[in-house]
Amino acid sequence: MIEELLAAGYCLNPTDSDNTIGVISPYRRQVDALTQRLRSRWTDFPQQSIGTVHTFQGGQKSVIILSTRQCQSTDSLWFINRRPNLLNVAVSRARELFILVGNLGRISEGGHTRELVEYINEFGEIR
């Protein structure tokens, strides 16, 4: 997905352009894994452009990818559905494009996350 965004003119380094990419996940383990994987592939991927819904420091980005992939079967989105402002952090940081990655069936089980999927289904695109 990152390669497609880069090919479309988005970039990793905020000093290069305003068309930057940010990655957010609800889970610290997922952020750690994403950070390691993304920075091993693209060494100029800024550390502040990857974070949890609690700690993201990247500011607004042209593209925000919200990765809800659960690392363990016990991982849950219950805390996001209890505190919608955490979900708002991810959505509000995207200037142009918001990409939700995960199992839509599982994401749709919650209240606020279900509303987000319904909104994307109505006004966006699901692939």
Side-chain angles (χ1 to χ4, degrees):
M1 186 178 325
I2 300 288
E3 286 177 350
E4 289 181 27
L5 291 168
L6 293 172
Y10 295 99
C11 68
L12 303 175
N13 195 333
T15 59
D16 293 342
S17 169
D18 287 334
N19 293 332
T20 52
I21 302 167
V23 180
I24 300 176
S25 176
Y27 312 107
R28 167 60 34 205
R29 286 182 302 257
Q30 176 71 358
V31 167
D32 293 343
L34 285 167
T35 300
Q36 181 180 7
R37 186 167 186 185
L38 294 173
R39 291 183 55 98
S40 70
R41 176 94 186 246
W42 296 282
T43 55
D44 58 341
F45 207 119
Q47 180 76 31
Q48 70 271 20
S49 292
I50 309 169
T52 67
V53 291
H54 298 91
T55 65
F56 186 76
Q57 297 296 315
Q60 274 199 321
K61 303 287 184 188
S62 295
V63 178
I64 289 292
I65 300 169
L66 176 61
S67 175
T68 61
R69 180 174 178 260
Q70 289 83 4
C71 293
Q72 297 181 359
S73 60
T74 56
D75 288 341
S76 170
L77 294 171
W78 68 268
F79 61 93
I80 288 181
N81 285 304
R82 264 191 41 224
R83 298 182 59 201
N85 61 316
L86 294 175
L87 189 58
N88 290 341
V89 165
V91 175
S92 68
R93 300 294 175 113
R95 279 194 304 262
E96 296 175 29
L97 184 61
F98 177 77
I99 300 172
L100 177 63
V101 178
N103 180 326
L104 294 182
R106 189 160 182 199
I107 295 169
S108 295
E109 292 173 359
H112 298 293
T113 53
R114 181 185 68 248
E115 290 172 7
L116 177 61
V117 171
E118 289 170 355
Y119 184 85
I120 292 170
N121 195 31
E122 184 174 346
F123 298 105
E125 181 178 329
I126 294 182
R127 297 184 193 181

